Amino acid sequence: MPGGMAGMPASPGIVEGKVHLLRWEVPDVDHRVVSDNEITSEIDRLRDAIERAKERLRHVRARADKHAGPEEAAIFDVQISILEDASLIGEVEELIRQNLGAEKAFDLVLFEWRQHFARHSQSMLRERVGDLIDVQIRVLSVLMGLPDHDPVDLPKGSNAILVTHDLTPSLTVQLDREAIIGIATDAGTRTSHVAILARSLGLPAVVGLRDATARLKGNEHAILDGTSGILIVDPTPAQIATYRDRKAREDADAVELLQIATTESVTLDGHWVTLRANVDLPEEAEQAAHSGAEGVGLMRTEFLVVGRATMPDEEEQYRAYTHVVEAFSGRPVVIRTFDVGGDKLPVGGYQTDANPFLGWRAIRMCLDEPELFKTQLRALLRAAMHGDVRIMFPLVITLDEVLQAKQLLREAAAELDARGVEYRHDLPLGVMVETPAAALCVHTLVDDVSFLSIGTNDLTQYTLAVDRGSANLASRFTPLHPAVLQLIHRIVEVGSAHKLEVSVCGEMASQPLMAFALIGLGVRSMSVAGRAVPLVKRVIRGVSVAVAHEAAMAALASKTAREAEGELRRRLFAAFGDAPFLRDGLPGFVDGNIFEGSGGP
Ligand code: PEP
Ligand code: MG
């Protein structure tokens, strides 16, 4: 299928390679009946398939251990133990004895086990659903003779562009960065967590392609343009030449941007804007520190859990937080407590609500699971001995949650006292303002917190009732909708009046046009993806607060997001000319048509 497919830019960069198609989904299984004298050989076939799947899992485990570490690799021990479960295998064999083909018997039992586990009252058992799905796919693939699509199979230097429907945690921990050079998915948007993770890993990615896996066969020559959000399959020689040229220019631009890292983050008219980095994986800390970030404005601790079979214990968390704190030698590191649920931690355990985004996630889950929460709080209190740690609670909707979290923090401290372990007492505590409830009632929170951080990804999602992960709704997901701008403005005004730092850590701050809007709305602290630090610094250094304020007030008074975007664009482009870096992350940008299709309603 030659031609270009347009999705959404998720992680910048241009790569050229071969399509590696990964269909990781439970296959359709025919209902097949076996005769009485075939039963024994059918059971042998099942046992053989299980052995081969286990063999494969041991291989995958070894690879994950190498690429992602021993804790992440443990997920595969769980999957191996599922295949050694005598009662599960007994149930499948019993169905075969009732004359069902091995594939259908295995499929039916796994389906029942998934249903049972998904409804279980214990979260640890609910977490097993994702493992059951993986195991189901593996064994059925062997039984049905389907090609094995494991991403781990690729030799080094394969230059593979991984094309898949969505990237699950168990697939993510297997990614071999020496073989895979880019990611393309049918599902997802710029703010979904596969996109965030791709940016963290520095892998160019395009998401929201909708039907790429259905349209491709695999092995096609392709160019993935993560900056513009395009996948070009079987490119013409002219397209190859154009893209190689563009890649050379982007690489040169990146070198130039890095020189900005050491410069001051101050506007033309002398206003300082604190610029920190978002860190998703502890290993990113060094790179973020080198990008010129003045600390960490958001560490997403849930990525310590993604793809894991069990929650990390206090020691492991302490080591991870200390690693980040030390990389930033004394500068502030804002660590957010677990924001699992929603589209994060999709290991099956926390997504039993019909609407996971409106369900049991983030601070709600932590308050209901005090032991899990206090383990994290103890690790944070201890890590604070090594630097300026600040704790932030996600998805707060009411002061009660803040007070309860503080009570649990006191209990965590008392537990450390009882053990005689050293920790710091006076950590600043803040909340994420990422729901309309928190934004409208922000005045009720300000007396009990030391800082506010606006999570514009969720604030946009909940204000506009637009799912942040839906490719179908991507053009409607715009933080420039006047409703979102008004809420941000209100949060900044109330926070500033109470002399609190008000930061923005959603993706909005990483995009030049939106960063300009935020400066104009009065934001003086932002936290952006590590790679976006020089980019946003360039915006800060090239504008004046006076002009940004005028633009933001015009955007606030606009009737639509499109109109707001026009007001901002006009003034920002007057400051910079049509510089290519301004286009970063703007939807609909294809070779010059910067605003085509963007702006939403
Ligand atoms: C946000 O919602 O804007 C945010 C920064 O948090 P996350 O993207 O992790 O939900
Ligand atoms: Mg959020």
Coordinates of all heavy atoms in Angstrom, one line a residue, residues 1 23 36 45 50 136 144 171 184 188 217 258 269 271 286 295 386 395 455 462 476 480 485 522 525 534 549:
M1 N 0.9 -1.2 0.0 CA 0.0 0.0 0.0 C 0.9 1.2 0.0 O 1.2 1.7 1.1 CB -0.9 0.0 1.3 CG -2.1 0.8 1.2 SD -2.1 2.5 1.9 CE -0.5 2.9 2.5
R23 N 0.9 -7.8 15.5 CA -0.5 -8.0 15.9 C -0.6 -8.7 17.2 O -0.5 -9.9 17.2 CB -1.2 -8.8 14.8 CG -1.3 -8.0 13.5 CD -2.7 -8.3 12.8 NE -2.8 -7.4 11.6 CZ -2.3 -7.6 10.4 NH1 -1.7 -8.8 10.2 NH2 -2.4 -6.7 9.5
D36 N -13.5 -39.3 19.8 CA -13.0 -39.9 21.0 C -11.6 -40.3 20.8 O -10.7 -40.2 21.7 CB -13.9 -41.0 21.4 CG -15.2 -40.5 22.1 OD1 -15.3 -39.3 22.3 OD2 -16.1 -41.3 22.3
R45 N -1.0 -32.3 22.0 CA -0.8 -31.1 21.2 C -0.8 -29.9 22.1 O 0.0 -29.0 22.0 CB -1.9 -31.0 20.1 CG -1.4 -30.4 18.8 CD -2.4 -30.7 17.7 NE -3.7 -30.0 17.9 CZ -3.9 -28.8 17.6 NH1 -2.9 -28.0 17.2 NH2 -5.1 -28.2 17.8
I50 N 2.0 -25.6 25.2 CA 2.2 -24.9 26.4 C 3.8 -24.9 26.7 O 4.3 -23.9 27.1 CB 1.5 -25.5 27.6 CG1 0.0 -25.2 27.4 CG2 2.0 -25.1 28.9 CD1 -1.0 -25.8 28.4
Q136 N -2.7 -16.2 26.6 CA -3.7 -16.7 25.7 C -3.2 -16.5 24.3 O -3.3 -17.4 23.4 CB -5.1 -15.9 25.9 CG -6.2 -16.5 25.2 CD -7.5 -15.8 25.6 OE1 -7.5 -14.8 26.3 NE2 -8.7 -16.2 25.1
M144 N -2.3 -22.6 16.6 CA -2.9 -22.3 15.3 C -1.9 -22.1 14.3 O -2.2 -21.7 13.1 CB -3.8 -21.1 15.5 CG -5.0 -21.3 16.4 SD -5.9 -19.8 16.9 CE -6.7 -19.4 15.4
L171 N 4.7 -5.3 26.2 CA 5.4 -5.1 24.9 C 6.5 -4.0 25.1 O 7.6 -4.1 24.6 CB 4.5 -4.7 23.8 CG 3.4 -5.8 23.4 CD1 2.5 -5.2 22.3 CD2 4.2 -7.0 22.9
A184 N 4.8 3.3 15.4 CA 3.5 3.8 14.9 C 2.4 3.0 15.4 O 2.4 1.8 15.4 CB 3.6 3.7 13.3
G188 N -4.3 6.0 20.2 CA -3.5 6.9 20.9 C -3.6 8.4 20.4 O -4.0 8.6 19.3
K217 N 1.2 -5.0 5.4 CA 1.5 -6.4 5.4 C 2.7 -6.7 6.2 O 2.9 -7.8 6.7 CB 1.7 -6.9 3.9 CG 0.6 -6.8 3.0 CD 0.9 -7.6 1.8 CE -0.3 -7.7 0.8 NZ -0.6 -6.3 0.3
L258 N 20.5 22.7 21.5 CA 21.2 22.3 22.7 C 22.1 23.4 23.3 O 22.3 23.5 24.5 CB 22.0 21.1 22.4 CG 21.3 19.7 22.6 CD1 22.3 18.6 22.4 CD2 20.7 19.7 24.0
D269 N 11.5 41.1 28.2 CA 11.4 42.3 29.1 C 11.7 41.9 30.6 O 11.2 42.5 31.5 CB 9.9 42.9 29.0 CG 8.8 41.8 29.0 OD1 9.2 40.6 29.0 OD2 7.7 42.2 29.0
H271 N 11.4 39.0 32.6 CA 10.7 38.2 33.5 C 11.3 36.8 33.5 O 11.4 36.2 32.4 CB 9.2 38.1 33.2 CG 8.5 39.4 33.3 ND1 7.8 39.7 34.5 CD2 8.4 40.5 32.5 CE1 7.3 41.0 34.4 NE2 7.7 41.5 33.2
E286 N 19.4 12.1 33.9 CA 20.6 12.8 33.5 C 20.4 13.6 32.3 O 20.9 14.7 32.2 CB 21.7 11.7 33.3 CG 22.3 11.1 34.6 CD 21.4 10.1 35.2 OE1 20.5 9.6 34.6 OE2 21.7 9.8 36.4
G295 N 15.5 21.6 37.4 CA 14.9 20.7 38.3 C 13.8 19.9 37.6 O 13.7 19.9 36.4
H386 N 18.4 13.5 50.4 CA 19.4 13.8 49.3 C 19.2 15.0 48.5 O 19.9 15.3 47.6 CB 19.5 12.6 48.4 CG 19.7 11.3 49.1 ND1 21.0 10.9 49.6 CD2 18.9 10.3 49.6 CE1 20.9 9.7 50.2 NE2 19.6 9.4 50.3
L395 N -4.9 14.4 40.6 CA -6.4 14.3 40.4 C -7.2 14.7 41.6 O -8.3 14.1 41.9 CB -6.8 12.9 40.0 CG -8.1 12.8 39.2 CD1 -7.8 13.3 37.7 CD2 -8.6 11.4 39.1
G455 N -2.4 20.4 35.5 CA -2.2 19.2 34.6 C -3.2 19.5 33.4 O -4.3 19.1 33.4
Y462 N -11.2 16.7 31.0 CA -12.4 16.7 31.8 C -13.3 18.0 31.5 O -14.5 17.9 31.7 CB -12.0 16.7 33.3 CG -11.4 15.3 33.7 CD1 -10.1 15.3 34.2 CD2 -12.1 14.1 33.4 CE1 -9.6 14.1 34.6 CE2 -11.5 12.9 33.8 CZ -10.2 12.9 34.3 OH -9.7 11.7 34.7
R476 N -10.7 17.7 18.5 CA -11.5 18.4 19.5 C -10.7 18.6 20.8 O -11.2 19.3 21.7 CB -12.8 17.7 19.7 CG -13.7 17.7 18.5 CD -15.0 17.0 18.9 NE -16.0 17.2 17.9 CZ -16.2 16.5 16.8 NH1 -15.4 15.5 16.6 NH2 -17.2 16.8 16.0
L480 N -6.7 25.2 23.9 CA -7.0 26.6 23.6 C -8.5 26.9 23.5 O -8.9 28.0 23.2 CB -6.3 26.9 22.2 CG -4.8 26.9 22.2 CD1 -4.2 27.3 20.9 CD2 -4.2 27.8 23.3
L485 N -8.8 27.8 28.8 CA -8.0 29.0 29.1 C -8.5 29.8 30.3 O -7.8 30.3 31.1 CB -8.0 29.9 27.8 CG -7.3 29.3 26.6 CD1 -7.3 30.4 25.4 CD2 -5.8 29.0 26.9
G522 N 0.1 34.5 32.7 CA 0.7 34.7 34.0 C 1.5 33.6 34.6 O 2.0 33.6 35.7
S525 N 6.1 29.3 35.8 CA 6.8 28.1 36.0 C 6.2 27.0 35.1 O 5.0 26.9 35.0 CB 6.7 27.7 37.5 OG 7.2 26.4 37.7
P534 N 15.0 23.0 25.7 CA 15.6 24.0 24.9 C 14.6 24.8 24.0 O 14.7 26.0 23.8 CB 16.6 23.3 24.0 CG 16.8 22.0 24.6 CD 15.5 21.6 25.4
H549 N 1.0 38.7 27.1 CA -0.2 39.0 27.9 C -1.3 39.5 26.9 O -2.5 39.1 27.0 CB 0.1 40.1 28.9 CG -1.1 40.5 29.8 ND1 -1.6 39.6 30.7 CD2 -1.8 41.6 29.7 CE1 -2.6 40.2 31.3 NE2 -2.8 41.4 30.7

